[in-house]
Amino acid sequence: MRILLIGPPGGGKGTQAKFLSEKYNIPQISTGDMLRENVKNKTSLGTEAKDYMNMGQLVPDSLILNMMKEKLNHDSMDQGYILDGFPRTLPQANGLDEVLSDLGQTLDIVIMINVDDEAIVDRMSGRRVHLDSGRVYHIIYNPPKVEGLDDLTSEKLIIREDDKEHTVRNRLEVYHNQTKPIIEHYSDKGIVNKIDGNNTINEVKNQIEKCLL
Ligand code: AP5
């Protein structure tokens, strides 16, 4: 199963991708997590990407496409995957089509999670993340068992650098201008399902599961 999740920053893609990854036993591929790993390890990609990320801008398509071509060509991706945060522009969507066509693969389903902008700003202020695993919490809507600590490793949770309100608003603008339009690309293929992401985490999860029946 190859699933693509599209939605605004903080729209719940990562949260839902984790559920799907467990349920279908396929990996979550989050370009945001991959980039943060590169920033943390101070690789050349991480050094190039860091400023764009901190400003809430998109990292250039060429960097993302190179990173993803390498990832999707890997044998461990043969059973399927969940794409979370890629593609985000039309050139990236076209690049993904090429990679999939070379591999003789297609996407099975696109799930678009819609959330109102003001709800996003509220959610981001309470988000806490475990950097190494990408596990995501919210201080009210999805709190960890022990405040400030990851449930599985008990390591400290952090606030992401790009979750400040000003940066979140930039990211929302980028989403509306550059990412939302790519839904047309997939509508033509008849595989798009739109979900109301303003509901609770569980309700969103149930809606997505219904689309996958
Ligand atoms: P990335 O990490 O992909 O950020 P994003 O798309 O902005 O998405 P987030 O990870 O912020 O949110 P999410 O939708 O996963 O929501 P979450 O589940 O955490 O990208 C970061 C940066 O990297 C980009 O700005 C860009 O610079 C760069 N980048 C990445 N990919 C790129 C690409 N392809 N091209 C170019 N640049 C790229 O949920 C958010 C919070 O809400 C959590 O606290 C969660 O617990 C809570 N929550 C979730 N669902 C609900 C709900 N239903 N109700 C209440 N709370 C909820």
Side-chain angles (χ1 to χ4, degrees), residues 152-190:
L152 296 191
T153 63
S154 296
E155 287 167 350
K156 272 200 174 163
L157 301 177
I158 60 138
I159 299 176
R160 263 170 52 176
E161 190 66 31
D162 57 349
D163 276 355
K164 295 181 190 115
E165 181 171 342
H166 173 74
T167 315
V168 169
R169 292 201 184 271
N170 282 346
R171 288 162 65 196
L172 278 167
E173 204 180 316
V174 167
Y175 172 72
H176 288 298
N177 293 334
Q178 297 189 55
T179 304
K180 223 172 162 188
I182 71 167
I183 206 66
E184 298 299 322
H185 181 84
Y186 294 106
S187 297
D188 294 347
K189 300 180 199 282

Side-chain angles (χ1 to χ4, degrees), residues 8-15 31-32 35-36 53 57-59 64 85-86 88 92 123-124 127 136-138 141-142 160 162 171 197 199-201 204:
K13 302 181 297 298
T15 301
T31 40
L35 290 167
R36 280 185 287 281
M53 295 173 78
Q57 298 300 323
L58 293 181
V59 173
I64 298 290
F86 169 86
R88 262 169 142 106
Q92 289 185 22
R123 282 186 195 176
M124 300 302 234
R127 174 161 64 179
V136 184
Y137 302 86
H138 189 282
Y141 308 124
N142 181 26
R160 263 170 52 176
D162 57 349
R171 288 162 65 196
N199 294 315
T200 65
I201 292 177
V204 175

Side-chain angles (χ1 to χ4, degrees), residues 30-47 49 53 67 71 130-134:
S30 157
T31 40
D33 286 347
M34 290 165 77
L35 290 167
R36 280 185 287 281
E37 182 73 16
N38 276 278
V39 171
K40 188 177 143 206
N41 294 331
K42 298 191 168 69
T43 65
S44 58
L45 170 60
T47 309
M53 295 173 78
M67 177 175 87
K71 182 82 178 176
H130 180 243
L131 205 53
D132 284 348
S133 66

